[in-house]
């Protein structure tokens, strides 16, 4: 599979989960494991551009696909607009949920470029944050949407 | 949590998937989106020895207009249903219900065929398909057969599918862009319904189906009969729990579920 644009080729057991593959075989520990039961979204990555929970997918299912993790989102030194918006709007506190939150937001903004606040809240339904109370996360995503629209 | 060991094989065609399952016997299972099966395997509540991955059978992912009905490939993801213009025009209820399954990440992976084959009474789409009098096309080693939704759901996580049969297509009558409602009651984000009620105008009648009111998805026949006899939405909805066996769990007692069913059916009927 391709991970952040780099070909990755490892022989792993069939039962290896995508999140384990990314963290242990590829050494990309930006993807977090929160609940390990498909609930919290901390493990969210992009699979061919769409958000998925990597704790609930086999690495083998992603064979041949393009995976993007938080490490692959910035273009060199240039952060992705969603990353910048989280930074500027205090969209994080401890940061544990953030990688998943940012990637879920990138996927959401790809599907709904001009979201309402309600679209954002529903669109991030699969991502839990224990710190922020979500308010600044929603603000960050709306701000990123505006930047990304302006850049088009 | 890591699943118990198993062998993984990927099928290139439906026929290959069926023969692979046949070769590996009772302990083999199809893997579609994995959104129901993998959580069970991680908890080791399911321990198949072989997984036959049908997730790449893109030719089983479609929504097609077949004249008097729509045909939906079993590997069509919830996301594809939710964004289908054809479905919006010809069977709005299915699109609206698909949009309420889990969260975005789940809808990017989970398939309608997986939802149906899993046979969980708490799932959203099976109840909608029951309300629509859907037909399921199933392929086995000996050929294809069709099963009516009404005969398909046999018990808790039990369906009419034999272990070596692949669900390939779901057929629904056209029911239009409007004239439906789905009332899903839950208390946490992305969760299954504690109770859900689908109401839809189908073929001149009003069909009502219930989520999580028994071991299988159920048609609320008593409500439908009351409606055909001219009862108001409020009066018909009082019959919503008739013949149901609502489960007891952390979220709700059977009595509470029976009450919810009546309230949700009334709301759904009043909305259509
Ligand atoms: C966090 C989370 C929240 C969820 N919330 C909801 C919800 O609110 N409502 C809801 O309805 N569902 C919910 N789900 C379940 C989701 O809808 C699943 O996508 C769906 O139930 C299963 O589809 P799948 O393609 O993932 O099937 P899989 O998990 O791959 O398979 C499920 C079962 O069906 C069998 N199977 C799959 N496809 C076929 C086929 N074509 N022929 C024969 N057998 C087959 C498999 O062998 C397996 O036994 C949720 C799941 C998660 C992880
Ligand atoms: S770790 Fe995957 S959803 Fe929580
Ligand atoms: S910032 Fe701590 S969990 Fe979200």
């Amino acid at each position: 599979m391709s991970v952040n644009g780099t070909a990755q080729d490892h022989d792993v057991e069939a039962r290896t989960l995508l999140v384990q593959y990314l963290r242990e075989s590829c050494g990309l520990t930006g993807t977090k494991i929160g609940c390990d039961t498909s609930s919290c979204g901390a493990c969210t990555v992009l699979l061919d551009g769409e958000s998925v929970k990597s704790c609930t997918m086999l690495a083998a299912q992603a064979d041949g696909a393009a995976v993007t993790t938080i490490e692959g989102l910035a273009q060199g030194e240039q952060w992705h607009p969603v990353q910048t918006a989280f930074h500027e709007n205090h969209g994080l506190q401890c940061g544990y949920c953030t990688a998943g939150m940012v990637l879920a937001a990138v996927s959401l903004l790809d599907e709904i470029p001009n979201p309402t606040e309600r679209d954002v809240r529903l669109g991030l339904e699969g991502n839990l944050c224990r710190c922020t109370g979500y308010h600044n996360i929603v603000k960050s995503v709306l701000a990123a949407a505006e930047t990304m629209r302006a850049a088009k | 949590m890591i699943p118990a060991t198993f062998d993984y094989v990927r099928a290139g065609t439906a026929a290959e998937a069926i023969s692979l399952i046949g070769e590996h016997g009772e302990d083999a299972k199809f893997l579609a989106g994995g959104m129901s099966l993998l959580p069970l395997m991680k908890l080791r509540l399911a321990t198949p020895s072989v997984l036959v991955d049908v997730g790449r059978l893109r030719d089983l992912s479609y929504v097609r207009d077949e004249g008097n009905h729509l045909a939906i490939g079993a590997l069509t993801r919830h996301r594809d249903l939710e964004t289908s213009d054809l479905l919006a025009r010809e069977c709005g209820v299915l699109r609206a219900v698909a949009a309420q399954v889990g969260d975005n990440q789940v809808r990017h992976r989970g398939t309608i065929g997986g939802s149906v084959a899993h046979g969980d009474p708490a799932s959203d789409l099976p109840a909608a398909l029951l309300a629509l009098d859907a037909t399921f096309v199933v392929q086995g080693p000996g050929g294809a057969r069709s099963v009516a939704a009404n005969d398909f759901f046999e018990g808790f996580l039990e369906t009419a599918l034999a272990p070596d049969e692949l669900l390939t297509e779901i057929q629904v009558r056209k029911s239009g862009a409007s004239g439906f409602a789905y009332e899903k009651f839950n208390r946490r984000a992305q969760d299954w319904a504690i109770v859900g009620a689908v109401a839809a105008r189908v073929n001149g009648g009003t069909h009502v189906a219930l989520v999580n009111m028994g071991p299988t998805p159920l048609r609320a026949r008593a409500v439908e009969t009351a409606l055909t006899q001219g009862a108001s939405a409020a009066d018909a909805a009082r019959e919503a729990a008739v013949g149901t066996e609502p489960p007891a769990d952390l979220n709700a007692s059977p009595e509470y579920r029976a009450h919810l069913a009546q309230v949700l059916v009334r709301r759904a009927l009043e909305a259509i």
Side-chain angles (χ1 to χ4, degrees), chain A residues 10 15 20 27 39 42 52 59 68-69 75-76 85 87 89 93 108 116 118 128 131-132 135 143-144 149 152:
Chain A
H10 305 271
R15 59 179 172 163
Q20 260 181 296
S39 307
V52 298
T68 308
T69 68
Q75 303 278 335
H87 178 69
N89 293 281
Q93 286 179 26
L108 171 69
T116 61
R118 187 178 153 75
L128 305 182
C131 303
T132 63
H135 199 75
R149 278 201 310 277
K152 276 212 178 129

Side-chain angles (χ1 to χ4, degrees), chain B residues 23-98:
Chain B
E23 238 169 77
H24 293 290
E26 290 265 320
D27 266 357
K29 265 191 162 302
F30 294 117
L31 175 69
M35 291 296 106
S36 293
L37 184 54
L38 292 176
L40 289 178
M41 289 174 61
K42 289 177 69 179
L43 293 168
R44 307 212 175 181
L45 294 171
T47 51
S49 55
V50 179
L51 282 188
V52 177
D53 188 354
V54 292
R56 303 273 175 104
L57 301 182
R58 299 308 295 170
D59 55 336
L60 289 184
S61 169
Y62 55 83
V63 183
R64 270 189 218 135
D65 192 332
E66 300 279 354
N68 58 356
H69 72 271
L70 298 178
I72 304 169
L75 271 297
T76 311
R77 303 172 310 156
H78 307 320
R79 169 75 192 159
D80 302 321
L81 300 176
E82 189 188 352
T83 53
S84 160
D85 293 334
L86 178 56
L87 219 49
R89 275 197 314 276
E90 303 290 358
C91 191
V93 58
L94 214 51
R95 177 174 141 139
V97 171

Side-chain angles (χ1 to χ4, degrees), chain A residues 13-15 17 20 35-41 44 47 50-53 55-58 60-65 104 107-108 111 122-123 125-128, chain B residues 1-8 10 31-35 38-39 42-44 51 53 56 77 79-80 102-109 186 188-191:
Chain A
E13 271 191 275
R15 59 179 172 163
L17 300 167
Q20 260 181 296
C35 63
D36 206 8
T37 56
S38 347
S39 307
C40 75
T44 299
L47 181 81
E50 293 177 324
S51 58
V52 298
K53 291 177 174 175
C55 74
T56 310
M57 220 184 132
L58 302 173
Q61 287 176 287
D63 185 22
S107 175
L108 171 69
E111 289 167 3
L122 282 178
E125 191 177 7
N127 294 73
L128 305 182
Chain B
M1 294 173 305
I2 312 287
T5 44
F6 57 86
D7 288 327
Y8 171 92
R10 189 180 300 149
L31 175 69
M35 291 296 106
L38 292 176
K42 289 177 69 179
L43 293 168
R44 307 212 175 181
L51 282 188
D53 188 354
R56 303 273 175 104
R77 303 172 310 156
R79 169 75 192 159
D80 302 321
D103 53 45
N104 278 5
Q105 289 96 319
V106 170
R107 294 195 295 274
H108 285 148
R109 299 287 308 155
N186 60 12
R188 292 185 309 192
Q190 65 177 279
D191 215 353

Side-chain angles (χ1 to χ4, degrees), chain B residues 82-256:
Chain B
E82 189 188 352
T83 53
S84 160
D85 293 334
L86 178 56
L87 219 49
R89 275 197 314 276
E90 303 290 358
C91 191
V93 58
L94 214 51
R95 177 174 141 139
V97 171
Q100 295 225 23
V101 175
D103 53 45
N104 278 5
Q105 289 96 319
V106 170
R107 294 195 295 274
H108 285 148
R109 299 287 308 155
T111 65
I112 186 170
S115 271
V116 169
H118 194 53
D120 182 347
S123 287
D124 304 297
L125 285 165
L129 293 168
L130 202 56
L132 288 167
D133 286 328
T135 302
F136 302 135
V137 181
V138 164
Q139 253 182 58
R145 65 185 180 114
S146 291
V147 188
N150 212 25
D151 302 324
F152 187 82
F153 301 104
E154 296 181 338
F156 184 72
L157 306 187
E158 277 175 33
T159 70
L161 275 174
D164 59 354
E165 283 182 320
L166 183 72
L167 175 63
T168 54
E169 186 173 279
I170 291 117
Q171 299 171 345
V172 289
R173 240 194 309 239
K174 294 180 176 174
S175 58
S178 59
F180 65 84
Y182 181 42
E183 291 288 334
K184 176 173 179 172
F185 187 84
N186 60 12
R187 302 185 49 196
R188 292 185 309 192
Q190 65 177 279
D191 215 353
W192 279 261
I194 294 174
V195 174
V198 190
R201 295 200 198 285
V202 185
N203 221 16
T206 300
H207 293 185
V208 182
L210 298 168
V211 177
N212 220 358
M213 283 295 288
T216 64
L218 293 170
R219 276 288 278 278
R221 300 279 179 197
V223 175
E224 295 178 3
T225 307
L227 287 172
T228 55
Q229 290 167 352
S232 66
D235 285 340
R238 284 196 196 98
E239 310 290 317
V242 172
T244 63
E245 293 169 58
D249 58 27
L250 277 179
N251 284 318
S253 64
E255 295 75 25
Y256 179 55

Side-chain angles (χ1 to χ4, degrees), chain A residues 8-74:
Chain A
Q8 293 278 358
D9 195 0
H10 305 271
D11 278 328
V12 293
E13 271 191 275
R15 59 179 172 163
T16 307
L17 300 167
L18 179 59
V19 68
Q20 260 181 296
Y21 182 82
L22 294 170
R23 291 177 57 88
E24 295 167 23
S25 305
C26 307
L28 295 167
T29 52
T31 306
K32 302 293 180 243
I33 301 175
C35 63
D36 206 8
T37 56
S38 347
S39 307
C40 75
C43 64
T44 299
V45 298
L46 302 182
L47 181 81
D48 294 329
E50 293 177 324
S51 58
V52 298
K53 291 177 174 175
S54 61
C55 74
T56 310
M57 220 184 132
L58 302 173
Q61 287 176 287
D63 185 22
V67 175
T68 308
T69 68
I70 193 69
E71 289 94 338
L73 206 53

